[in-house]
Amino acid sequence: MSPRRGMLFSAFEPSGDELAAPVIRRLRDTHPDLHLWALGGPRMQQAGAEMIEMTAQHAAMLGDDLLPHLRRHVARLGQLKSFVARHDIVAHVPIDSPVLNWSICQMIRDRRPGARIAHLSAPQLWLWGSSRIGKLRRLTDHVLCLLPFEPAWFTRQGVRATFVGHPLAPHTLTSEHHNLDQNDAEPMIQVNETGHANVNMGASDESLTLGLLPGSREHEIRMNWPTMARTANMLRRRFADLCVTVAAADERAAQSIDALSQKRRCDSPPFRVRVGQTGQTLRDCDVALIAAGTATLQAAMLRTPMVAMYNLNWFRANLLIRPMTTSNTYALPNMIAEAAGRPWVVPEFVPHSGDPRPLVEALTLLLAGTHRRAAQREALRAITEPYEHVPFADAATQCVLQLAGYTTQ
């Protein structure tokens, strides 16, 4: 009996699970006879993938947990070799997590040389790690880019690349009926000065709302949340009716925020936590303070005025990060603006020392000035215009199918 023919997806973080799911769903709709196997998470499974292993429920391990995580991956590669030998893999779609996905790409190259490899979400070699472009040339046939300036950069490096939009684009969420926020019907949770949680459904119409997005990974929350809490506390002294809403990616993130807040009760204002509702939190707030990352791009697409920040200690920022990077900015909206020849659109404090005072001043200008918020919204509209014309699932699916030699519908 001939081996089953299909495509392999590999993701190792919740963000990769979210990216792959719309593509898998569209492939399942257009080519129902095509087998779709995956290392990934629950969204990929719900979209129709046959799961080999659940690998994307939580963010990749860091620090002390890295070694056992890598040991598990070595064992996983051994199992995958056996799987690939029994199945006809026509295409491999690695999503994010280059540290783990490089090895799978190499194994596919060695064991299934006829399979095409399409990276979904470009490795950020244009920011750091440009010396690895040779590895990418060997281990990919096409890069599906989420940022509009990336295809031109990869093309100059000899790598085929296509801009496929982003699943967070509001029109994509509407047209595909696939909101990436989880548990949208759940109420917000308010944590008061004593650290105890209670249900609270939101602010009054007259008050301003500040959104805080400290990141999705535990180490990001540890780095950024204490400064965000102190910043919000200082702003409450200037804006007495200010409501503070925190977006937690999942229950684990919410627990981390709660634990840190109880340790630093004097620094934490009353706030509400919305679990798995990042998009709705950004829609509802007047201004957001965001840890630099994908959430800044989501805020830009939703036209939410923001300040970007990310705490790093001096040693890491100046001796490790800056010498390795080729950009003057680390906030995605500013990167897009700079690549398009526009001025920065978002106040940016990356890397930041942890001092809340400059954040308070930048946020005060936005909270107190409706004209400043309106100006930033217009600038955000301009830089995210490319996303309005590219439906993510359609564009990404078409690229993968064409690369694998299938007709598109």
Side-chain angles (χ1 to χ4, degrees), residues 219-399:
H219 75 281
E220 292 175 334
I221 295 169
R222 284 200 309 269
M223 292 292 290
N224 296 305
W225 173 248
T227 297
M228 287 189 170
R230 292 171 61 199
T231 299
N233 207 34
M234 293 171 69
L235 284 169
R236 284 290 296 272
R237 298 169 192 160
R238 299 187 180 189
F239 302 90
D241 295 328
L242 183 67
C243 294
V244 181
T245 302
V246 185
D250 52 31
E251 291 291 348
R252 290 177 58 169
Q255 291 168 7
S256 295
I257 292 167
D258 188 21
L260 285 170
S261 299
Q262 292 190 46
K263 288 181 180 179
R264 300 169 176 264
R265 291 176 188 174
C266 60
D267 293 332
S268 297
F271 61 87
R272 297 178 301 277
V273 177
R274 302 181 77 161
V275 179
Q277 299 183 59
T278 300
Q280 194 58 49
T281 300
L282 289 169
R283 291 183 189 96
D284 292 344
C285 70
D286 296 284
V287 178
L289 176 60
I290 306 178
T294 303
T296 59
L297 181 59
Q298 185 172 10
M301 292 176 181
L302 295 172
R303 320 288 192 259
T304 301
M306 74 185 98
V307 171
M309 65 152 289
Y310 201 98
N311 282 338
L312 286 172
N313 63 50
W314 186 94
F315 176 83
R316 186 173 184 184
N318 292 280
L319 299 184
L320 297 179
I321 302 298
R322 289 191 186 278
M324 294 173 59
T325 59
T326 58
S327 175
N328 295 317
T329 173
Y330 300 93
L332 289 175
N334 290 339
M335 289 181 181
I336 296 171
E338 191 173 78
R342 298 175 181 271
W344 289 8
V345 297
V346 173
E348 177 180 337
F349 298 86
V350 185
H352 188 54
S353 65
D355 184 355
R357 290 172 295 180
L359 303 175
V360 169
E361 296 306 320
L363 289 163
T364 295
L365 291 175
L366 287 172
L367 288 167
T370 55
H371 65 290
R372 292 182 185 273
R373 297 202 297 272
Q376 192 182 119
R377 287 193 191 99
E378 176 56 28
L380 294 173
R381 183 205 63 76
I383 64 164
T384 57
E385 187 176 2
Y387 292 95
E388 297 176 5
H389 310 293
V390 184
F392 169 76
D394 289 341
T397 301
Q398 183 174 5
C399 284

Side-chain angles (χ1 to χ4, degrees), residues 33-303:
D33 295 333
L34 183 65
H35 291 283
L36 302 173
W37 302 292
L39 303 166
R43 297 190 178 206
M44 297 165 76
Q45 185 175 38
Q46 292 165 10
E50 302 175 48
M51 302 306 296
I52 300 172
E53 182 184 349
M54 300 296 283
T55 57
Q57 299 98 314
H58 306 295
M61 303 292 183
L62 292 170
D64 294 338
D65 291 323
L66 180 59
L67 186 57
H69 199 63
L70 291 177
R71 286 174 178 163
R72 286 195 297 273
H73 188 64
V74 170
R76 178 183 300 125
L77 284 174
Q79 296 167 357
L80 272 179
K81 289 176 183 178
S82 176
F83 180 89
V84 170
R86 301 193 313 270
H87 298 81
D88 183 9
I89 308 294
V90 297
H92 172 217
V93 183
I95 307 101
D96 280 343
S97 308
V99 171
L100 299 178
N101 267 319
W102 286 131
S103 55
I104 299 179
C105 293
Q106 186 64 63
M107 187 263 293
I108 293 291
R109 276 283 191 258
D110 294 340
R111 308 239 165 193
R112 288 287 179 184
R116 303 295 87 190
I117 300 176
H119 277 76
L120 177 55
S121 180
Q124 293 184 340
L125 304 187
W126 42 265
L127 178 60
W128 46 37
S130 58
S131 61
R132 292 182 294 169
I133 192 66
K135 174 182 281 190
L136 183 63
R137 288 194 200 100
R138 295 193 308 274
L139 298 180
T140 197
D141 298 292
H142 208 107
V143 175
L144 311 183
C145 301
L146 306 182
L147 300 175
F149 62 82
E150 290 178 318
W153 189 89
F154 282 106
T155 299
R156 289 195 298 270
Q157 311 305 316
V159 176
R160 294 176 60 198
T162 301
F163 174 60
V164 295
H166 201 290
L168 291 175
H171 73 88
T172 297
L173 296 177
T174 301
S175 63
E176 296 176 4
H177 306 285
H178 179 59
N179 196 316
L180 295 184
D181 289 345
Q182 302 171 357
N183 308 317
D184 279 341
E186 291 187 1
M188 294 179 286
I189 302 299
Q190 176 167 314
V191 178
N192 56 33
E193 287 92 343
T194 62
H196 299 295
N198 55 73
V199 174
N200 185 299
M201 289 308 295
S204 67
D205 292 338
E206 294 79 14
S207 59
L208 289 168
T209 298
L210 173 68
L212 301 179
L213 286 78
S216 59
R217 299 173 176 85
E218 185 174 352
H219 75 281
E220 292 175 334
I221 295 169
R222 284 200 309 269
M223 292 292 290
N224 296 305
W225 173 248
T227 297
M228 287 189 170
R230 292 171 61 199
T231 299
N233 207 34
M234 293 171 69
L235 284 169
R236 284 290 296 272
R237 298 169 192 160
R238 299 187 180 189
F239 302 90
D241 295 328
L242 183 67
C243 294
V244 181
T245 302
V246 185
D250 52 31
E251 291 291 348
R252 290 177 58 169
Q255 291 168 7
S256 295
I257 292 167
D258 188 21
L260 285 170
S261 299
Q262 292 190 46
K263 288 181 180 179
R264 300 169 176 264
R265 291 176 188 174
C266 60
D267 293 332
S268 297
F271 61 87
R272 297 178 301 277
V273 177
R274 302 181 77 161
V275 179
Q277 299 183 59
T278 300
Q280 194 58 49
T281 300
L282 289 169
R283 291 183 189 96
D284 292 344
C285 70
D286 296 284
V287 178
L289 176 60
I290 306 178
T294 303
T296 59
L297 181 59
Q298 185 172 10
M301 292 176 181
L302 295 172
R303 320 288 192 259

